[in-house]
Amino acid sequence: MANLKKKFNAIMADLESNIKNQEDMEYIKSQVYNIALLFLDEIDNITELSLDRMNVMLEREKELAHKVTKMERALNNLEKEVFVSQEGDFEIICPYCNAEFLENLNDDVEHEIKCPECGNVIELDWHEEEECTHNCSGGCTCNHSHEEDDYDEEDENGDEEDDM
């Protein structure tokens, strides 16, 4: 801007030195100032229009950033549902405060963890079944009647052996 002001003042000095009639000089100065003001007004209008456009672009950028964030959350949730983590991460929902969090449960099977939100201890139920004492293979899913076990135990104690 300083360079523009110097050039403007140089042009005005050149006009004053070349025009001898004072009335003509005053008229020319006023017209040059009017032209300069027109240009400055137009520059202000262009600047204001540019700022308005920039504000609209910033608002759109905020909206797009919000949409991208929502899409990232949706993708992360979808990723959690579709892909099983190979690292032993399990999604746990706290029964006390309903907070969802990931817990890394590798080979060391923990039966209790602490909720990072409410601090309550959560007991994990892995649905592990007791081994069957009937020489069955695997867990106690052999369909063996447990009522017979109760009767056999009574026989061993001598309580009901007098059936004959």
Side-chain angles (χ1 to χ4, degrees), residues 107-118:
D107 294 334
D108 300 333
V109 178
E110 299 176 28
H111 292 286
E112 292 181 350
I113 58 169
K114 190 174 183 180
C115 174
E117 292 292 321
C118 66

Side-chain angles (χ1 to χ4, degrees), residues 6 16 24 38-39 56 60 91 100 103 107 113 117:
K6 285 181 186 177
E16 285 180 3
D24 291 340
L38 286 173
F39 280 111
V56 168
R60 287 183 183 166
E91 183 175 318
E100 293 182 24
E103 189 68 29
D107 294 334
I113 58 169
E117 292 292 321

Side-chain angles (χ1 to χ4, degrees), residues 2-155:
N3 194 21
L4 182 63
K5 187 175 182 180
K6 285 181 186 177
K7 286 184 179 183
F8 183 81
N9 288 334
I11 290 171
M12 294 307 285
D14 183 50
L15 287 174
E16 285 180 3
S17 64
N18 289 320
I19 298 177
K20 301 299 178 199
N21 185 346
Q22 196 60 20
E23 275 183 34
D24 291 340
M25 184 60 202
E26 292 301 318
Y27 176 75
I28 291 172
K29 275 185 170 181
S30 69
Q31 293 303 318
V32 169
Y33 282 119
N34 288 336
I35 291 172
L37 290 175
L38 286 173
F39 280 111
L40 291 175
D41 285 343
E42 191 62 29
I43 289 171
D44 285 343
N45 290 338
I46 292 171
T47 302
E48 188 175 321
L49 182 62
S50 295
L51 285 175
D52 289 343
R53 287 180 180 171
M54 185 70 88
N55 288 335
V56 168
M57 288 174 53
L58 287 173
E59 286 299 316
R60 287 183 183 166
E61 190 268 336
K62 285 180 186 177
E63 291 172 10
L64 288 174
H66 180 69
K67 288 179 181 180
V68 166
T69 302
K70 286 174 71 176
M71 287 178 65
E72 285 176 344
R73 278 192 224 129
L75 281 173
N76 287 337
N77 290 337
L78 181 64
E79 203 172 58
K80 289 177 188 176
E81 291 175 15
V82 173
F83 298 108
V84 175
S85 174
Q86 299 297 325
E87 300 172 359
D89 288 341
F90 288 90
E91 183 175 318
I92 298 172
I93 299 174
C94 177
Y96 303 105
C97 68
N98 291 326
E100 293 182 24
F101 59 96
L102 288 178
E103 189 68 29
N104 189 345
L105 303 174
N106 287 331
D107 294 334
D108 300 333
V109 178
E110 299 176 28
H111 292 286
E112 292 181 350
I113 58 169
K114 190 174 183 180
C115 174
E117 292 292 321
C118 66
N120 286 321
V121 175
I122 303 168
E123 185 174 326
L124 300 178
D125 183 11
W126 294 103
H127 300 293
E128 293 178 356
E129 297 181 11
E130 302 277 329
E131 284 192 32
C132 183
T133 58
H134 302 103
N135 297 325
C136 299
S137 60
C140 190
T141 57
C142 63
N143 295 329
H144 182 73
S145 172
H146 293 283
E147 293 172 6
E148 292 176 14
D149 291 341
D150 293 340
Y151 181 74
D152 290 343
E153 288 175 13
E154 290 173 2
D155 283 346

